[in-house]
Amino acid sequence: MPKITKIVEVANDDDDETDTDTEIEAADTDAAYADGDVTGEDAGIDALDGLRAVARLARLCGRINWFAAVGEPLEPSEIADAEAYVANLGFPDVSVGAVEDWRAAAAAAQAPEWRQDWWDAEEQMRQALLQEALQINPEPDLMVALTHVSTKASEVAHGLAAVSAARGGVADEALIRVAAGAAAQAAYQAALVLAAQAESMAGDAEHPFAVKFRLFEAGRLPLGIVGSTFNLF
């Protein structure tokens, strides 16, 4: 399974594998540009590339083995990714903490010290990316593409979260919904990076949303910042 070690790997993926949803979205988007919904010589080409990358991401979301590594010791590369994510989001002094099992994950998700400023930072970044993406893509096409990605991730992640939690002796439907919702949100955020073509950031720096999605690809469940700790399951 391809990992988004750099978000451009999905943007430039030339995999010939297709599915019906991807073909429909590409056809609808092609028609939008043919009808002149996007102006500018290069605008349609750039946006079409972005939306096709989003469609490929939706297909990838259906193949990810969500939550496959939860409860296992953190790999050094995963710790490095988590540290990069929180630092680039604006929290360089936050440390990474491993969550041991689904019961501990439930406690972390409900912790009263949960950081609102972490959520606010993500939301500000999401809004900025959305505005960038809307400058490039027709709004109806973009909304359809983003919804498709998050729906696909949620559908697959929910079942896998339920299986993983059951193996850990937990049958908390609310927690399972939280896990699936987090996966859907991460997929949506990664799709925005592609749609906004934010992979052109200076140097080799990666967008925090791309790094966060990579943690999910690795089978992890990021649970957010509580106090001075970023909890990673």
Side-chain angles (χ1 to χ4, degrees):
M1 180 189 305
K3 296 286 193 295
I4 301 189
T5 52
K6 287 189 170 60
I7 200 74
V8 292
E9 290 185 13
V10 168
N12 297 329
D13 186 5
D14 292 327
D15 190 353
D16 292 334
E17 200 178 325
T18 60
D19 60 24
T20 302
D21 291 334
T22 301
E23 291 171 351
I24 290 173
E25 288 178 21
D28 289 346
T29 307
D30 285 337
Y33 295 114
D35 291 339
D37 291 347
V38 175
T39 59
E41 182 178 353
D42 296 327
I45 295 173
D46 292 344
L48 184 55
D49 288 345
L51 290 180
R52 282 176 169 161
V54 172
R56 288 192 290 271
L57 179 61
R59 189 171 70 232
L60 172 64
C61 286
R63 303 198 304 258
I64 291 174
N65 195 8
W66 302 94
F67 317 121
V70 295
E72 297 179 4
L74 297 178
E75 298 289 341
S77 60
E78 295 167 346
I79 296 172
D81 279 344
E83 290 173 342
Y85 162 73
V86 293
N88 291 335
L89 200 61
F91 301 93
D93 297 328
V94 167
S95 60
V96 177
V99 176
E100 294 181 357
D101 54 34
W102 280 97
R103 297 184 192 282
Q110 299 168 5
E113 299 87 2
W114 185 84
R115 294 274 294 268
Q116 177 69 35
D117 55 349
W118 160 71
W119 188 93
D120 291 340
E122 276 210 347
E123 179 60 13
Q124 290 173 8
M125 190 166 286
R126 184 193 71 83
Q127 289 283 358
L129 277 178
L130 180 59
Q131 292 306 311
E132 291 178 32
L134 287 172
Q135 294 294 319
I136 303 170
N137 305 280
E139 184 172 1
D141 295 329
L142 178 62
M143 294 301 106
V144 167
L146 294 175
T147 298
H148 182 58
V149 167
S150 57
T151 299
K152 176 70 76 174
S154 179
E155 289 173 349
V156 178
H158 186 277
L160 293 176
V163 170
S164 178
R167 288 173 178 166
V170 173
D172 185 342
E173 180 58 32
L175 178 59
I176 291 167
R177 286 197 301 269
V178 166
Q185 180 190 48
Y188 172 95
Q189 292 167 336
L192 268 181
V193 175
L194 291 172
Q197 299 180 347
E199 73 277 4
S200 59
M201 293 171 64
D204 293 329
E206 295 178 297
H207 195 281
F209 289 164
V211 178
K212 178 184 175 183
F213 185 76
R214 184 162 68 238
L215 290 170
F216 278 93
E217 279 190 286
R220 296 297 180 178
L221 173 56
L223 288 166
I225 298 177
V226 176
S228 60
T229 302
F230 176 63
N231 289 314
L232 182 59
F233 183 24

